[in-house]
Amino acid sequence: MQPLLITGGNGALGHAFRLICEIRGLATISLGRDELDITDADAIAAALRQYEPWAVVNAAGYVRVNTAETDAKQCYRENTLGPTLLAQACAAQQVPLLTFSSDLVFDGKQRRAYLEHDPARPLNVYGHSKLQAEQAVLAYHPKALVVRSSAFFGAWDEHNFVHHALTAARLGESFAAADDVVVSPTYLPDLVNTALDLLLDEEHGIWHLANDGSCTWAELACLAIETAGLDSGGVVPRPAASFGWAATRPNFSALGSQQGILLPSLESGLHRYLADEQLLHAANSPTYLVA
């Protein structure tokens, strides 16, 4: 069976792809940055020759939005050059490519959910790096699939907003969150499963994938905490400007899709996130391990 080649396999997105492909019975080769540098054209060509994948999922990239403002060279290298080289190599061998972009390609000036055809006008280095990657990938590989998403969270990864909000609530600590930035939070397994479906269906171009619903970061914290049956009184709503973020962010970057609603509701995602948490906790408990 030809494998699906996953780059950035050690990150949250790459890890989720590997686990979900395993559940779905799809063979994978998952490579971390130390195993495949996607900014090295020769290394990409060698990997395609060695593994002969039926498709490539690019889950690699620079994710530190604030740091990117003073580390632009590295951000563009990982977020723009890497996907561009992958697109060139995959196009040359007629291998389907799935890569990911961000809601931060938008400036936040409209007050309805952004659709795929809406003009992209990023406000920060990270957003610019993603937009340039979109343009280059589709120029070199018109059959590539480019998925824009936002603020994803999954129980397999502790480095996400929902996890931090729940941890604070469980410890009885306060948790500050922006109350004037609207996003479309996305449950990571929903994102991965739907993106895989699109890849298998040979879809291409730009697609927006996010759970149905949008909210501010403060509202997301309250919703996650209350869904877990906890007291959300510790959530401290604050304006985004008070956090001193180096990167300017759009005040509104909710994602919609002209393709239709493909993912379940945000509330559904949060319930399944909490169920996943319980399963992981049980799997790591001494009782479970002995059994």
Side-chain angles (χ1 to χ4, degrees), residues 4-271:
L4 177 68
L5 178 60
I6 302 168
T7 70
N10 295 332
L13 183 58
H15 182 62
F17 263 98
R18 182 178 60 78
L19 290 176
I20 287 175
C21 283
E22 183 178 338
I23 291 168
R24 292 177 59 158
L26 296 172
T28 62
I29 297 292
S30 181
L31 302 177
R33 183 178 305 181
D34 57 334
E35 299 166 299
L36 175 59
D37 178 1
I38 65 167
T39 66
D40 183 336
D42 291 337
I44 294 171
L48 292 180
R49 286 194 304 269
Q50 179 179 354
Y51 300 112
E52 298 182 340
W54 65 267
V56 173
V57 170
N58 178 35
Y62 191 103
V63 298
R64 301 181 297 279
V65 177
N66 288 319
T67 308
E69 295 299 304
T70 54
D71 192 22
K73 183 177 179 180
Q74 189 64 24
C75 179
Y76 281 109
R77 179 175 172 82
E78 295 182 26
N79 283 356
T80 307
L81 176 61
T84 300
L85 294 178
L86 280 171
Q88 291 173 335
C90 288
Q93 299 194 31
Q94 297 183 315
V95 175
L97 171 66
L98 163 61
T99 192
F100 287 84
S101 188
S102 167
D103 60 329
L104 295 183
V105 299
F106 296 113
D107 63 9
K109 291 185 178 179
Q110 70 181 34
R111 281 297 176 265
R112 62 158 176 80
Y114 282 94
L115 305 179
E116 289 87 350
H117 66 266
D118 285 321
R121 301 187 183 94
L123 302 177
N124 54 49
V125 169
Y126 177 87
H128 276 285
S129 74
K130 287 295 190 179
L131 178 58
Q132 289 186 22
E134 292 179 5
Q135 295 167 341
V137 165
L138 292 173
Y140 286 110
H141 195 342
K143 294 294 186 180
L145 175 61
V146 178
V147 169
R148 290 178 182 149
S149 193
S150 167
F152 54 73
F153 58 94
W156 302 319
D157 166 43
E158 295 185 350
H159 302 289
N160 67 76
F161 180 88
V162 170
H163 173 81
H164 294 314
L166 289 170
T167 298
R170 287 163 178 157
L171 294 174
E173 298 174 351
S174 62
F175 185 80
D179 63 356
D180 56 355
V181 175
V182 176
V183 294
S184 290
T186 304
Y187 178 54
L188 188 51
D190 286 343
L191 171 63
V192 170
N193 273 305
T194 305
L196 271 174
D197 290 342
L198 294 176
L199 184 62
L200 288 164
D201 289 344
E202 300 182 354
E203 296 291 353
H204 62 277
I206 295 174
W207 289 66
H208 287 181
L209 295 183
N211 282 119
D212 187 25
S214 60
C215 57
T216 67
W217 289 107
E219 289 170 340
L220 174 60
C222 290
L223 182 59
I225 291 168
E226 290 166 4
T227 301
L230 302 170
D231 182 6
S232 63
V235 175
V236 182
R238 282 168 41 187
S242 70
F243 289 91
W245 293 332
T248 302
R249 288 164 169 77
N251 288 331
F252 184 92
S253 62
L255 295 177
S257 178
Q258 62 205 51
Q259 320 286 359
I261 298 173
L262 301 181
L263 274 66
S265 69
L266 171 59
E267 289 79 4
S268 169
L270 286 169
H271 279 289

